[in-house]
Amino acid sequence: MANQGFDPLKSISGIRDSVNRIIEDGLSVAGGVQQLPVDIYETDDAVIVKTAALVGVQPEAIDVSITSDQLTIRGETRPEDDIRAESYLRRERKYGPFSRTVAIPRPVKADQAVADFKDGVLIITLPKADEARPRTINVGGVEKPKPSEG
């Protein structure tokens, strides 16, 4: 007697979804700690580090430190307390500690760094050290002496 409830396409789709979740989790979690995605770019005066959205994280729960040329951001995301676990139909957002250490590619003035938290995004501005700032050098022409009139 054939199993009438078996749907091979549904089974394959379920397996694919499971493998995708495992791959995504493996890329975003290392050693039980989520890797915080960041963008790093520079302006003429500063190196800027911008994090992915930190939904539900309070600014006072974020630790930012810089040592030598390494910037470290740490914190923890927590689920809402008012929703019972058995009430969830799907739960894909990650909770728990997160951390990210990145190399800062330019010399910066760490003591003048500023961290702003706006709309769930942490923006760290690291002013460049003077030796890292671009310099403009004016090129002047060398005038040839005029031939003496004689």
Side-chain angles (χ1 to χ4, degrees):
M1 184 184 269
N3 183 354
Q4 296 177 355
F6 179 71
D7 181 355
L9 293 178
K10 189 173 183 178
S11 294
I12 291 171
S13 178
I15 292 169
R16 184 192 68 228
D17 290 345
S18 295
V19 169
N20 285 343
R21 262 194 305 281
I22 289 168
I23 291 170
E24 288 171 6
D25 289 349
L27 293 175
S28 65
V29 178
V33 176
Q34 296 178 60
Q35 296 293 305
L36 178 65
V38 296
D39 290 340
I40 301 174
Y41 61 95
E42 69 181 322
T43 64
D44 288 341
D45 299 328
V47 173
I48 312 294
V49 178
K50 191 180 282 191
T51 68
L54 297 167
V55 179
V57 177
Q58 299 302 313
E60 57 273 7
I62 302 171
D63 177 42
V64 178
S65 61
I66 187 164
T67 305
S68 184
D69 66 342
Q70 300 286 312
L71 175 76
T72 300
I73 305 166
R74 288 188 180 97
E76 186 171 352
T77 56
R78 299 178 190 273
E80 293 88 345
D81 293 334
D82 57 340
I83 302 172
R84 297 185 331 248
E86 59 271 7
S87 297
Y88 281 95
L89 301 174
R90 179 178 289 247
R91 191 171 193 175
E92 296 181 345
R93 294 184 352 195
K94 307 282 187 264
Y95 298 102
F98 62 83
S99 178
R100 185 67 186 268
T101 298
V102 294
I104 303 301
R106 307 278 183 268
V108 295
K109 298 177 184 176
D111 59 332
Q112 296 178 17
V114 176
D116 294 310
F117 193 68
K118 183 178 179 188
D119 299 328
V121 175
L122 178 64
I123 303 168
I124 303 164
T125 303
L126 304 162
K128 288 183 183 177
D130 291 334
E131 64 268 16
R133 291 186 179 175
R135 304 235 187 266
T136 302
I137 301 171
N138 294 326
V139 178
V142 177
E143 290 188 32
K144 293 183 181 179
K146 294 183 182 178
S148 50
E149 294 180 27

